[in-house]
Amino acid sequence: MARLGTDKFVVEREKEVATRLSPGVFPAGRQSEWSAQNRTLTHSVHPLTNSVALGVAGKQPRELLKTDVRVYEQDQRVYVCGLGTMPDERLPFVNDTHAVFAAIQSIMDARGDHVGVDALLRMSALYREAMLRQVRVLQDARDSEFVRSENDVFQAMHAVWHLLEIVYVTTNAGLSASVVPYYMEWLNFNFPAPAAADGERILGSSPDANALAQNPDVWPYVQKLALRGHVTTVANMLERIAPAQALSAAASRWARELAQTARDMPLGSSDETSGSFNGRWRRWNSGLQSMATNMGSMLDKAEDAALSALLCVVDVMRGDADTISRVGETWQDVLGAVLLYSEPTAQTERLPALAQLVLEQFEADDFTLVDRTLAALVRHELPEFLVYCNQIDAWLSAHVSDLMEHIGILDSCRQVFKVEPREHYLVALGERYLTHEGLWRVAMDYFGLCRTRVSQSIMGEYIVRMPLESDRKAQQVLRVCERYKLTEASERVHRQLGRQKWQRGRLGAAIAHFVRVNDSSAVGQICDQLWAEYLASGLLTYGPIIDSVLASSGHDRVRFLTQYRDFHECYRAGEFARAGKLLLSILVGEIAPIHAVPDLLVDSIPLLEGDALVFGADDTLELMRCAESVVFVGGEEGGVERDELSIFSVACARNLARSYVMQ
Amino acid sequence: MNSLQVQPVARKITGIRWLPPRAGNAYTDTDLYFVSGSSAKHKELVLWTTANPDFQQTNDDNDNVDAETSSPLATLVAKVKHDGDVHDIAAPASDIVATASSFGTISIYNIGHTDSGDNSLSLREAVTAHKFANGEPAVATSLSVQPTNSADAEIASCGEDGRIAYAPISRLDALQRHEVDSTVITGVCWPMPAQLAIATRAGQVKLFDRRAPAEVQAVFVDPSNTYEFECIAAHPSQSFRLATGTDTGAVLLWDIRNPKKPTMEAFNVHESNVWSVGFHSSDAAKIVSCSEDASLAVTQWVSDSDRQSRGVRHLSGFFNTLSVNCFDVCPFTRTSIIIAGSDSGNLLMEKTAASDFAIY
């Protein structure tokens, strides 16, 4: 297969999704009529989820049309379509893998640069368990096209992930571990062959050795067993066939010998040195070679179907490439047999070269998507591999690129892609999760744990568009902002909450939110609203509202309202001296809004005219100064005409006189 | 950290409550029932059943069971759609369940048990208890049932509109509402049959006399800290003890015998908002709380005679990373069972064998 150039995977087309609107907008086939009557479709995309709202609209406004158009029922419908939504069946899988993903990030944080292979291996195994659990759940579910396609997806993901784990994690331990036993385990788990059902059928239909030997399916079955390295089963089958009458004496003898040899196949153990294993293996292999030569010469002399079938098995087991290619059905089969029988101690570095040789024998166009993905992985063509993973499922590409980043092999992809691959895929997965209402928090975690500037800003945009349906949800959104240090988003959420509560008439809570973000103009407006309500009703009911706002807010208006309320309470309790002091401090501190000052001055009149002397000379002069300053401002809004202050001035003058007398 | 058993149910669970046993107060039911409420995409009430651990043979390997190899923790028996998110559930009797919803309604559901084993949930009636001044529905944040044995027990709810509402369970249309706070009220409970206590987001605990709810009997605040309260619970027998959970992860224990000078002790057991708090039903020396930090905490707040000293035990599950929203401790079994629901779409359970009784 020719090495493909970069243009193959640089441009990746999103899968097109089409949805039919049902019931339809116009009768079938009458689209041109419909369109001629000034109709078209208009749409709006939801800011968070992948849903689109569609409705019928006019190309021109109805008022401009010369003849009026009749409005039908279909014109008044609004359709809401979800595109590419996350199905509910995946929820347990999504949540479990989210837990593993978060655990990996924190492990990697804790360890720094030391790539903990054991830890990664454990996490990788947890991912695979989650996939297998999902496959089991799907198998219990009722059959439907959706279930079948989901099943395919998860089995494909498991095969790909398992091979990735073998190639890059398991054999990364630093010791010169051979990849062969792991590859065979992977092959036999994910692409099991030959089917156990076939074996049972063959044995079931052949009650004795004779029938077995004459069964036409038995020799291909044994050959396939040999190809996959199931040597014990091969030996068992041969020993069953050997005593058959139908076999020639020679075939019988060779069958028994082959069975024995199969059982003697050397298996590596962890405490054996590679030198001694290689020695044993070479001896075994040469035994097979001589067996093949002998059998071949016998066959030259006489035709024997059983013997030639046996020779085929021997050829496979001694690593003859041509026979292997003939017996093997898929390239994974052939690669496995080549590894197992000609290079049993091969390490991961040998895989690309061997794979290339094997793959050349197959037609690339017949490959399924899974085949292509696995081929790219085995040939260590990582950018291509990532793109194929994305076509299998968004989950796969996101988590594969994350794992590759932690192992340290993602750099080769960075030169090829224009965008950062891990960030691109994680953000795409997060956006996919956002389409499901219950997964917004999981999506935020994916954005946040991606830890790049781009993902941070994307996250900031999404979080402020989260619907804040309840107080608890708002708290959770704020916690997310805190956790991922999105200070600007946090402020926007507080502002949104403040406005929401303002509209609903919860003024105290609204003030609290605006105080949090230091929005003094909004606080001022709300306080003005409270003041206006007080003036309108004459009842000072805003007391509890103000109390609940943080006392340390320090905002002028809030302090004004608090002190004014305290003034009222003192007045009601009869503590006129204290009330007077409070009123004075409000006026002197200039915390009152201009339009409220005249009312305050009017409030001071009873104190001025009262029996006890509340305001001393200095205080009275202060009051008069305040009054003057308000008058000066008159001409502008909020100012007061001089004659409106006449009663006040008179009271002041009288009080001043009294104070001089009493002092 | 002890681990919780986890069962994924593909629903965000926001309310959970054990049902009283059917045979009155007897402890002889072999199956226990509980109701869970879910929010977000699927708003439902689900009735579950689980085996009573008091009747099981001792299984030594019951802890840390792998979720996939063991049988499920609870089996679904019946479910019904719910109008709005479920914010709280109360179970006054074994055949009635009351819920507080995000549309501000209190709804009563009937649970039907037939002899053939069929169970069903159906809506009996609903009343709108909470609304904002501009007419928008306000979320009803919490529910509590009056702790009296009379047939006419009342149920109280509190909401984001700053009101408390209460009505007899049998006559919901006689609902009375009173505005008592200017911020969100996050929790309500009955320390005594004639007294209500609420916790607000402004960090205040307010007490009301049931007969005159428009006036506040007492207000308790911790002036040294700016807390925001998320929940409140009353001690089952000592009506002067209240527990509140805060938004920063502390559980506060109040002693309000002296209303002018309440004492308060803070236990910093969580790292994030404490959504629900309660005194353990069989051992009130423990306070159980659940939090946004995906864990449950059991705090021993007073050392008792048999060597249990003050301390805290945390419970969490590896596959449960999102907030634990609600929990309930089964008051009807000797083995203490805590069930909880989380945002990760999981049902969580923990069983601890009862300590042997000392024989005098």
Side-chain angles (χ1 to χ4, degrees):
Chain A
M1 189 165 69
R3 180 82 171 76
L4 296 148
T6 354
D7 0 300
K8 184 183 171 204
F9 49 78
V10 158
V11 176
E12 189 184 288
R13 283 185 64 201
E14 293 276 339
K15 282 191 258 230
E16 289 182 2
V17 183
T19 313
R20 285 218 109 80
L21 294 180
S22 143
V25 178
F26 47 78
R30 310 260 284 273
Q31 191 261 325
S32 42
E33 264 183 63
W34 177 83
S35 160
Q37 287 179 11
N38 187 40
R39 281 180 173 77
T40 183
L41 276 179
T42 181
H43 76 286
S44 174
V45 182
H46 192 286
L48 274 184
T49 67
N50 264 357
S51 49
V52 179
L54 290 161
V56 176
K59 293 184 195 148
Q60 279 188 322
R62 229 165 122 191
E63 292 76 17
L64 295 180
L65 293 175
K66 293 197 263 291
T67 57
D68 200 15
V69 176
R70 203 177 131 198
V71 172
Y72 296 95
E73 184 218 324
Q74 292 91 320
D75 297 333
Q76 296 172 327
R77 284 197 207 119
V78 173
Y79 299 81
V80 175
C81 314
L83 303 172
T85 47
M86 176 67 51
D88 277 350
E89 287 76 7
R90 284 220 188 175
L91 281 181
F93 175 71
V94 167
N95 279 307
D96 287 349
T97 51
H98 165 239
V100 180
F101 178 74
I104 291 186
Q105 308 310 314
S106 57
I107 290 176
M108 287 292 128
D109 280 346
R111 299 234 191 166
D113 287 327
H114 306 284
V115 176
V117 171
D118 289 339
L120 275 181
L121 199 53
R122 263 202 313 271
M123 295 295 133
S124 179
L126 283 175
Y127 275 133
R128 282 194 295 118
E129 266 175 44
M131 289 181 226
L132 291 175
R133 257 202 301 274
Q134 186 73 357
V135 169
R136 268 200 294 277
V137 163
L138 284 168
Q139 277 165 358
D140 289 338
R142 244 179 347 173
D143 192 30
S144 73
E145 201 190 303
F146 168 74
V147 168
R148 264 174 279 145
S149 72
E150 282 282 290
N151 199 14
D152 289 342
V153 166
F154 278 97
Q155 287 189 337
M157 293 209 296
H158 183 269
V160 171
W161 191 276
H162 198 174
L163 190 59
L164 177 71
E165 185 185 306
I166 288 172
V167 170
Y168 286 109
V169 185
T170 319
T171 48
N172 204 12
L175 308 168
S176 44
S178 161
V179 75
V180 178
Y182 297 109
Y183 182 88
M184 294 314 291
E185 186 196 315
W186 169 82
L187 184 62
N188 286 320
F189 185 87
N190 288 292
F191 302 97
D198 286 345
E200 281 163 27
R201 199 171 28 89
I202 292 173
L203 284 175
S205 63
S206 320
D208 66 354
N210 234 356
L212 193 59
Q214 287 167 332
N215 189 327
D217 295 328
V218 77
W219 290 116
Y221 179 67
V222 173
Q223 283 157 6
K224 287 207 181 19
L225 282 174
L227 192 76
R228 285 303 187 90
H230 298 302
V231 285
T232 330
T233 327
V234 168
N236 287 340
M237 288 296 288
L238 287 174
E239 279 162 10
R240 277 200 139 105
I241 299 174
Q245 302 285 16
L247 289 179
S248 63
S252 197
R253 183 169 54 91
W254 281 118
R256 274 188 242 270
E257 254 207 61
L258 186 54
Q260 189 52 47
T261 318
R263 284 194 202 283
D264 288 339
M265 178 170 176
L267 296 165
S269 66
S270 48
D271 46 353
E272 188 183 17
T273 64
S274 61
S276 111
F277 175 77
N278 279 336
R280 280 200 300 144
W281 194 83
R282 260 194 300 269
R283 277 193 293 280
W284 183 78
N285 190 288
S286 56
L288 278 169
Q289 299 274 15
S290 57
M291 214 192 276
T293 336
N294 288 343
M295 285 164 83
S297 59
M298 274 194 129
L299 275 172
D300 286 338
K301 293 189 217 136
E303 270 285 331
D304 188 343
L307 197 61
S308 58
L310 273 172
L311 179 58
C312 181
V313 176
V314 174
D315 280 339
V316 164
M317 286 173 68
R318 73 177 171 91
D320 178 45
D322 296 325
T323 328
I324 290 177
S325 304
R326 202 165 29 92
V327 176
E329 285 173 355
T330 63
W331 65 267
Q332 292 97 329
D333 278 343
V334 174
L335 182 57
V338 164
L339 280 172
L340 184 62
Y341 293 121
S342 40
E343 295 191 38
T345 51
Q347 296 182 5
T348 344
E349 292 80 26
R350 273 295 285 157
L351 273 179
L354 278 177
Q356 187 66 21
L357 288 171
V358 169
L359 285 162
E360 271 163 8
Q361 303 162 19
F362 288 84
E363 268 299 328
D365 297 334
D366 293 337
F367 279 1
T368 62
L369 181 56
V370 182
D371 283 332
R372 273 187 250 264
T373 324
L374 295 169
L377 176 59
V378 161
R379 289 205 311 259
H380 293 217
E381 285 166 5
L382 297 174
E384 216 175 303
F385 170 61
L386 258 186
V387 171
Y388 286 134
C389 282
N390 195 39
Q391 290 179 11
I392 294 181
D393 196 80
W395 184 96
L396 191 60
S397 50
H399 289 85
V400 160
S401 56
D402 178 58
L403 188 68
M404 281 163 67
E405 166 78 6
H406 291 305
I407 304 174
I409 51 177
L410 198 58
D411 286 326
S412 60
C413 300
R414 293 205 167 96
Q415 275 112 33
V416 173
F417 291 123
K418 280 176 85 161
V419 297
E420 162 64 33
R422 175 172 177 266
E423 167 198 287
H424 172 81
Y425 288 124
L426 280 178
V427 166
L429 187 66
E431 286 177 347
R432 184 117 195 275
Y433 284 165
L434 273 181
T435 62
H436 192 286
E437 248 186 278
L439 290 177
W440 70 270
R441 185 69 179 78
V442 175
M444 289 300 139
D445 265 351
Y446 275 94
F447 291 139
L449 292 172
C450 185
R451 294 200 190 123
T452 61
R453 239 178 354 106
V454 172
S455 70
Q456 189 92 336
S457 62
I458 289 182
M459 192 178 168
E461 288 304 316
Y462 276 124
I463 195 87
V464 296
R465 287 169 174 79
M466 276 286 142
L468 301 169
E469 311 113 355
S470 68
D471 179 64
R472 191 176 274 210
K473 175 90 180 279
Q475 283 292 306
Q476 289 182 322
V477 167
L478 288 169
R479 284 297 91 76
V480 170
C481 293
E482 250 174 55
R483 169 138 186 235
Y484 292 110
K485 306 198 181 22
L486 304 168
T487 39
E488 200 204 304
S490 176
E491 276 187 20
R492 280 167 77 175
V493 171
H494 270 294
R495 264 184 236 276
Q496 200 181 337
L497 287 172
R499 268 197 300 274
Q500 209 185 49
K501 300 206 166 141
W502 195 353
Q503 269 173 348
R504 290 173 169 167
R506 313 298 306 154
L507 298 176
I511 294 181
H513 282 293
F514 285 120
V515 161
R516 265 303 242 294
V517 294
N518 292 327
D519 188 347
S520 34
S521 74
V523 176
Q525 283 179 44
I526 302 181
C527 288
D528 287 346
Q529 191 178 330
L530 286 172
W531 182 256
E533 278 173 20
Y534 157 63
L535 288 182
S537 70
L539 299 168
L540 209 158
T541 50
Y542 68 73
I545 298 180
I546 288 297
D547 275 339
S548 60
V549 177
L550 308 168
S552 52
S553 62
H555 191 277
D556 269 357
R557 290 287 167 79
V558 176
R559 263 188 303 142
F560 159 62
L561 288 176
T562 319
Q563 287 186 322
Y564 188 75
R565 189 271 314 270
D566 292 341
F567 159 71
H568 252 257
E569 284 188 357
C570 289
Y571 192 91
R572 258 212 303 265
E575 298 170 23
F576 297 123
R578 242 186 96 209
K581 280 209 188 2
L582 275 168
L583 190 59
L584 202 56
S585 66
I586 295 177
L587 286 167
V588 167
E590 290 178 2
I591 54 176
I594 299 287
H595 59 81
V597 171
D599 300 301
L600 294 174
L601 297 176
V602 168
D603 281 331
S604 69
I605 295 180
L607 292 174
L608 289 168
E609 299 277 354
D611 296 329
L613 186 72
V614 172
F615 294 113
D618 296 329
D619 295 342
T620 321
L621 287 169
E622 274 298 325
L623 278 175
M624 291 167 76
R625 186 191 62 75
C626 289
E628 284 297 309
S629 63
V630 171
V631 170
F632 278 161
V633 170
E636 292 173 16
E637 285 170 36
V640 173
E641 294 302 319
R642 190 170 287 281
D643 41 343
E644 286 177 14
L645 282 181
S646 52
I647 304 179
F648 172 77
S649 314
V650 168
C652 274
R654 284 220 279 265
N655 194 49
L656 201 54
R658 201 159 47 137
S659 67
Y660 284 138
V661 166
M662 291 200 174
Q663 271 177 346
Chain B
M1 285 246 187
N2 302 126
S3 79
L4 289 164
Q5 294 170 282
V6 174
Q7 177 179 344
V9 297
R11 298 280 180 271
K12 208 162 89 128
I13 299 191
T14 45
I16 202 162
R17 199 60 64 195
W18 288 102
L19 286 182
R22 276 188 269 163
N25 280 325
Y27 290 62
T28 53
D29 281 3
T30 47
D31 283 324
L32 299 170
Y33 289 89
F34 63 90
V35 175
S36 76
S38 62
S39 307
K41 192 164 172 199
H42 301 273
K43 306 185 208 291
E44 304 171 330
L45 265 191
V46 178
L47 178 66
W48 302 84
T49 181
T50 178
N52 188 338
D54 284 346
F55 289 85
Q56 272 175 352
Q57 288 119 1
T58 45
N59 273 344
D60 291 286
D61 51 342
N62 242 347
D63 304 315
N64 300 330
V65 200
D66 208 2
E68 50 173 326
T69 52
S70 71
S71 49
L73 303 172
T75 2
L76 192 150
V77 170
K79 67 177 175 183
V80 72
K81 284 230 173 306
H82 184 267
D83 191 29
D85 293 342
V86 177
H87 277 263
D88 203 356
I89 306 182
S94 67
D95 57 349
I96 300 182
V97 157
T99 65
S101 89
S102 59
F103 291 139
T105 52
I106 304 179
S107 324
I108 307 274
Y109 286 81
N110 277 335
I111 303 179
H113 295 291
T114 63
D115 290 331
S116 53
D118 286 331
N119 294 289
S120 64
L121 281 168
S122 54
L123 178 65
R124 188 178 85 188
E125 62 177 311
V127 68
T128 306
H130 297 282
K131 264 202 302 225
F132 287 113
N134 64 349
E136 280 180 50
V139 172
T141 48
S142 182
L143 274 184
S144 186
V145 178
Q146 197 181 24
T148 143
N149 285 331
S150 85
D152 220 10
E154 290 192 333
I155 188 162
S157 79
C158 60
E160 288 187 14
D161 56 351
R163 290 200 180 93
I164 48 173
Y166 52 88
I169 297 179
S170 48
R171 283 175 294 126
L172 273 192
D173 40 328
L175 185 87
Q176 295 180 50
R177 288 185 206 95
H178 300 275
E179 173 146 358
V180 295
D181 191 71
S182 63
T183 58
V184 173
I185 306 183
T186 46
V188 67
C189 68
W190 301 79
M192 289 191 290
Q195 195 180 57
L196 279 163
I198 63 167
T200 71
R201 190 159 283 292
Q204 296 176 329
V205 172
K206 295 188 183 176
L207 284 183
F208 300 90
D209 187 323
R210 152 77 184 76
R211 294 160 294 220
E215 354 168 326
V216 179
Q217 224 178 25
V219 178
F220 304 114
V221 143
D222 181 6
S224 53
N225 278 307
T226 49
Y227 286 127
E228 290 182 18
F229 292 142
E230 303 281 359
C231 50
I232 187 171
H235 193 288
S237 48
Q238 301 172 353
S239 62
F240 53 85
R241 270 200 219 286
L242 299 170
T244 55
T246 69
D247 66 322
T248 47
V251 169
L252 309 180
L253 184 61
W254 297 81
D255 182 332
I256 54 174
R257 268 173 285 210
N258 182 351
K260 299 259 192 304
K261 282 225 257 175
T263 55
M264 189 217 38
E265 190 176 353
F267 298 94
N268 294 312
V269 291
H270 285 294
E271 281 143 42
S272 190
N273 307 50
V274 178
W275 296 126
S276 185
V277 77
F279 287 88
H280 196 291
S281 49
S282 44
D283 181 6
K286 297 191 169 70
I287 300 178
V288 185
S289 52
C290 72
S291 154
E292 172 81 21
D293 67 2
S295 71
L296 285 155
V298 180
T299 316
Q300 177 98 14
W301 58 272
V302 69
S303 28
D304 55 19
S305 47
D306 41 302
R307 25 171 190 82
Q308 291 259 43
S309 57
R310 287 155 54 98
V312 68
R313 191 163 63 98
H314 284 104
L315 305 167
S316 63
F318 176 80
F319 284 111
N320 188 67
T321 39
L322 295 185
S323 157
V324 178
N325 293 323
C326 49
F327 74 91
D328 199 17
V329 184
C330 187
F332 313 108
T333 53
R334 260 201 323 135
T335 318
S336 133
I337 320 179
I338 306 179
I339 40 161
S342 84
D343 267 351
S344 290
N346 289 325
L347 261 185
L348 310 164
M349 193 187 285
E350 202 246 4
K351 297 181 197 152
T352 7
S355 43
D356 291 324
F357 294 114
I359 301 191
Y360 292 107

